[in-house]
Amino acid sequence: DAVHEYCPQRPTYCAGCSTFRLAMMPMGIIVAFLVFITWYSYVFLTPHVGWFELGIFHILLGLVITSYLQCMLLDPGTVPPSWHAAVLKSPLKDRYKICRKCHMYKPPRSHFDSITKRLVLNMDHFCPWMVNCVGFYNRKFFMLFLGWTVVATFYFVLAVVTRAGFKVHNVLVTDDGRVTIIKFMAVIIDTALCLAVFGFLLFHCKLVYYNQTTIEDDGSRYDMGW
């Protein structure tokens, strides 16, 4: 399509802002807190952890943090004004619909994000945990975040529980007899996260397989020729 040739776009680290999005920033602090108590519990409160295991744990945690920050900071695919201008000059402009919210011509499968007030390519949803809209450019990192979160939380829970001999008392008490509520909390929270995010991951893997988004729930398929 000639219109697309006039509107090249590369992903940028400049996501749209709004009052509601700023209000969601504490969600990012909650994520940081969950990461911290998991890291602290494994590194300082779990006995007999070798360097190799610590290395694997930190790699997994690093992948979780990196994919989270990429999804949060990367622009999901804001449709630029140059697209609208190019469509206006195109003889094919009748092929495109006009967004009722921003009054711009909509690229195929784009939707208006009412939170950040912009038209987004291949929009999936606004995620409060990411404090960002999930769209064309950051959906990959959203999927990676879900996947690495499942792996990291499962690794942590398995490592702690096996070292405790699958006994709650051993999770609560350290080798020197101190009671550690933090590690017990981390195990409970990470277990719940692992199960919940795993189900969420399966749902989104299905959407990726059928080349759909959560908005496109009409059962249609978008054949990419694979």
Side-chain angles (χ1 to χ4, degrees), residues 4-48:
H4 293 78
E5 296 179 1
Y6 289 109
C7 299
Q9 185 183 7
R10 298 178 63 84
T12 60
Y13 290 96
C14 182
C17 198
S18 68
T19 303
F20 185 82
R21 191 179 180 212
L22 290 174
M24 289 290 101
M25 289 306 292
M27 303 296 281
I29 298 174
I30 294 174
V31 172
F33 173 74
L34 294 176
V35 171
F36 173 77
I37 64 171
T38 299
W39 172 80
Y40 183 83
S41 299
Y42 192 72
V43 174
F44 293 102
L45 301 178
T46 304
H48 313 303

Side-chain angles (χ1 to χ4, degrees), residues 41 45-47 156 160 170-171 173 180-187:
S41 299
L45 301 178
T46 304
F156 167 75
V160 172
N170 292 340
V171 175
V173 180
T180 169
I181 300 298
I182 295 178
K183 187 167 72 170
F184 183 73
M185 283 177 49
V187 170

Side-chain angles (χ1 to χ4, degrees), residues 17-217:
C17 198
S18 68
T19 303
F20 185 82
R21 191 179 180 212
L22 290 174
M24 289 290 101
M25 289 306 292
M27 303 296 281
I29 298 174
I30 294 174
V31 172
F33 173 74
L34 294 176
V35 171
F36 173 77
I37 64 171
T38 299
W39 172 80
Y40 183 83
S41 299
Y42 192 72
V43 174
F44 293 102
L45 301 178
T46 304
H48 313 303
V49 179
W51 289 106
F52 180 73
E53 293 165 292
L54 279 174
I56 294 177
F57 176 73
H58 280 91
I59 289 173
L60 291 175
L61 215 57
L63 290 168
V64 170
I65 295 171
T66 302
S67 56
Y68 177 79
L69 291 176
Q70 286 277 63
C71 188
M72 182 174 67
L73 300 176
L74 195 65
D75 188 295
T78 304
V79 178
S82 58
W83 161 266
H84 181 76
V87 174
L88 280 175
K89 298 175 184 177
S90 172
L92 304 175
K93 65 180 181 180
D94 292 337
R95 293 173 50 184
Y96 302 98
K97 297 179 181 179
I98 295 181
C99 176
R100 291 177 294 177
K101 301 290 183 65
C102 66
H103 308 295
M104 289 177 58
Y105 279 102
K106 296 174 61 176
R109 303 181 67 186
S110 63
H111 298 276
F112 185 80
D113 177 21
S114 59
I115 304 300
T116 55
K117 311 297 182 186
R118 57 185 170 177
L119 195 60
V120 179
L121 292 169
N122 202 211
M123 176 181 168
D124 190 86
H125 68 291
F126 180 86
C127 179
W129 292 102
M130 296 295 175
V131 202
N132 197 7
C133 178
V134 177
F136 183 81
Y137 287 117
N138 65 350
R139 193 180 183 190
K140 176 182 78 171
F141 298 110
F142 176 74
M143 295 296 297
L144 287 173
F145 172 73
L146 295 181
W148 289 124
T149 297
V150 170
V151 175
T153 51
F154 179 77
Y155 179 88
F156 167 75
V157 172
L158 184 65
V160 172
V161 171
T162 52
R163 277 181 170 74
F166 297 94
K167 296 179 180 178
V168 176
H169 177 267
N170 292 340
V171 175
L172 284 169
V173 180
T174 60
D175 286 348
D176 56 5
R178 291 184 296 113
V179 176
T180 169
I181 300 298
I182 295 178
K183 187 167 72 170
F184 183 73
M185 283 177 49
V187 170
I188 297 298
I189 293 172
D190 280 32
T191 301
L193 278 176
C194 184
L195 295 174
V197 176
F198 180 66
F200 201 51
L201 175 64
L202 290 180
F203 171 70
H204 277 275
C205 282
K206 178 189 137 184
L207 292 178
V208 170
Y209 178 78
Y210 287 118
N211 191 22
Q212 290 180 301
T213 65
T214 53
I215 296 177
E216 298 160 347
D217 58 355

